[in-house]
Amino acid sequence: MTRLLSGFFLLYSSIYSISISSADGTTINLGQFRGKKLLIVNTASGSRFANQFESLERLQQQYPDKIVVIDVPSNDFNHEPLDDRERMLTKALPKTHPGYIVTTGAHVKGDEISPLYNWLTFSMSNGLADNPVAGDFTKFLIDGQGNLEGVFAGSVDPMDSVLQNAIAN
């Protein structure tokens, strides 16, 4: 659901009904990833967890047929000093072109929360639980049927065995 200025909410019945904008301006309908798991991570280049960018890349390379990693840059915790253009031109991302999806910057909390994060964080949309984002690099794992499978704190590295096991099973 998305909070509209009038105070009403727009409900999304499925994560697959949501579209996102990649950093290069391409619109991506999440429905095209049915059957694969999604790992959605709110990132910030100035975060204490910024070393996880390379782990996100390794994770996508390790499970290319099983998972789609989606990096959602956000300054909601005041750790992303770069705008979309600057982020793409700097070394904020891995030195190689990331093999995962990088979106345009988005709000992951508050009144301007993006439709994707509204679905991830509100039980009225995801059908499971309220999961407010508490900091950078919070990870949301969606199963191949579009259900919220797990939420992992920013401190959990993408290559951690806990996350690896959730992806592999």
Side-chain angles (χ1 to χ4, degrees):
M1 68 185 175
T2 297
R3 182 173 291 220
L4 302 175
L5 293 177
S6 62
F8 292 98
F9 292 92
L10 176 63
L11 295 176
Y12 292 91
S13 59
S14 166
I15 195 164
Y16 296 136
S17 65
I18 299 171
S19 293
I20 57 175
S21 295
S22 70
D24 68 5
T26 305
T27 298
I28 300 169
N29 182 327
L30 295 180
Q32 71 185 357
F33 302 121
R34 284 180 201 272
K36 286 190 174 188
K37 292 188 177 191
L38 302 175
L39 183 68
I40 302 165
V41 185
N42 65 298
T43 64
S45 62
S47 171
R48 65 186 169 129
F49 301 122
N51 61 331
Q52 292 183 20
F53 282 117
E54 291 167 4
S55 293
L56 290 171
E57 177 73 21
R58 284 197 316 268
L59 184 72
Q60 183 66 72
Q61 290 174 359
Q62 184 171 337
Y63 298 103
D65 297 326
K66 202 164 199 161
I67 193 164
V68 175
V69 175
I70 301 174
D71 168 348
V72 181
S74 177
N75 192 36
D76 284 354
F77 300 98
N78 300 313
H79 298 135
E80 183 52 78
L82 307 174
D83 64 23
D84 291 337
R85 184 176 177 281
E86 292 169 327
R87 197 176 307 104
M88 293 306 292
L89 294 174
T90 67
K91 296 182 182 189
L93 298 175
K95 291 181 181 171
T96 59
H97 179 72
Y100 53 84
I101 295 169
V102 179
T103 72
T104 56
H107 289 284
V108 300
K109 64 178 189 163
D111 288 341
E112 297 180 58
I113 192 168
S114 73
L116 174 59
Y117 272 85
N118 235 322
W119 189 93
L120 293 170
T121 61
F122 288 100
S123 61
M124 287 178 58
S125 290
N126 66 46
L128 186 62
D130 289 334
N131 303 293
V133 177
D136 300 322
F137 284 84
T138 300
K139 296 153 194 77
F140 291 86
L141 184 63
I142 310 301
D143 70 16
Q145 290 73 49
N147 302 306
L148 182 60
E149 186 173 335
V151 181
F152 302 84
S155 60
V156 176
D157 188 273
M159 297 305 290
D160 186 282
S161 62
V162 173
L163 190 51
Q164 295 271 322
N165 289 338
I167 292 167
N169 296 321

